[in-house]
Amino acid sequence: MIVTTVRDLTPLKGVLFDFGGVLAREGFRGGLYAIARKNGLDTEPFFHLASDAIYDTGYITGRATEADYWEALRLATGIRGTVEELTGEILPRFILRPVMIDAVRLLRQKRYVVAIASDQVDWLERLNERDRFYGEFDRVFNSYRLGKGKRDATFFDDVANALRLAPGEILFLDDNPGNVERASSRGMLSMVVRNAEDVAEELADLPGRAGISP
């Protein structure tokens, strides 16, 4: 079920957070826009092509490397730059939102299961090395390690099973409406995050509950 507020959701036991766009500012779009501008390309078409390429190459599910991804984009668009230079446009733009991390900590204190559910690559692990946020969560579900992304609706079945929760006991938060629709189709309570600060405030108001170990 797609919801517009996190208040009065019962029987809620777990919360899944997307990373870029929810827990952190979205660095992928901003970085790709910067790359497009540097190479004299239209930003939006380049963004959509690059977004599809991260799936089409298999990088998002761990079946290709970072170098494979950027080489595919070079061939398709003519962009210039080393792997380090291109990735360097993206990673610094992922900036954790302290208000969301505070909400995650409060949820754990109230005995909710909290997890990351992200279509990400090994960049997520590099970001964790920089910012040390994995320890705030009970589980981290990264498409790069799972071999399956959120474009496959069964991703959400796998996550619910891993957490040992019924889909209807889980709230999924993402800024991508397509991901939200797919999670909802698998029975999860799902919400499009348009303003992270407002959502964090609502999460902070959730009542405490008895803990369930994932």
Side-chain angles (χ1 to χ4, degrees):
M1 179 175 66
I2 296 177
V3 300
T4 57
T5 178
V6 305
R7 293 189 174 95
D8 303 319
L9 293 181
T10 55
L12 187 63
K13 296 180 180 179
V15 183
L16 290 178
F17 294 83
D18 178 42
F19 184 72
V22 177
L23 291 170
R25 294 180 189 173
E26 178 53 73
F28 190 56
R29 180 184 290 270
L32 290 173
Y33 275 23
I35 292 167
R37 287 190 292 266
K38 284 186 175 182
N39 287 272
L41 301 173
D42 290 338
T43 55
E44 198 65 19
F46 178 74
F47 168 72
H48 286 295
L49 190 152
S51 297
D52 287 340
I54 207 164
Y55 287 88
D56 295 342
T57 60
Y59 187 29
I60 199 76
T61 50
R63 295 181 175 88
T65 66
E66 180 181 38
D68 294 332
Y69 171 63
W70 289 123
E71 182 61 18
L73 278 183
R74 287 193 197 95
L75 292 173
T77 67
I79 60 170
R80 299 174 300 279
T82 66
V83 169
E84 292 75 18
E85 289 168 343
L86 294 167
T87 301
E89 291 287 354
I90 292 174
L91 296 191
R93 289 180 164 85
F94 281 108
I95 300 172
L96 280 177
R97 291 174 165 142
V99 67
M100 293 302 288
I101 298 301
D102 287 345
V104 168
R105 290 170 178 163
L106 189 55
L107 286 171
R108 287 190 88 181
Q109 290 174 12
K110 293 179 178 180
R111 310 302 294 276
Y112 290 90
V113 175
V114 292
I116 294 173
S118 183
D119 272 5
Q120 261 287 358
V121 291
D122 48 342
W123 295 340
L124 189 65
E125 293 158 9
R126 288 186 235 172
L127 291 167
N128 178 61
E129 290 174 4
R130 185 189 75 186
D131 295 331
R132 301 296 178 184
F133 53 88
Y134 274 18
E136 306 288 353
F137 296 87
D138 296 298
R139 297 287 297 270
V140 175
F141 299 99
N142 181 358
S143 62
Y144 183 79
R145 295 301 176 190
L146 295 177
K148 182 185 291 188
K150 288 184 282 189
R151 290 188 179 185
D152 181 342
T154 64
F155 172 96
F156 301 100
D157 300 335
D158 295 347
V159 169
N161 289 335
L163 294 177
R164 294 195 287 236
L165 295 175
E169 297 172 330
I170 300 170
L171 172 66
F172 171 65
L173 302 171
D174 200 311
D175 62 323
N176 183 310
N179 291 336
V180 167
E181 290 174 4
R182 283 182 285 274
S184 177
S185 77
R186 310 309 289 182
M188 286 188 181
L189 302 166
S190 306
M191 181 177 174
V192 178
V193 175
R194 305 192 190 281
N195 186 305
E197 287 71 22
D198 289 347
V199 173
E201 183 177 338
E202 290 188 22
L203 290 171
D205 288 339
L206 286 173
R209 62 171 303 277
I212 295 178
S213 298

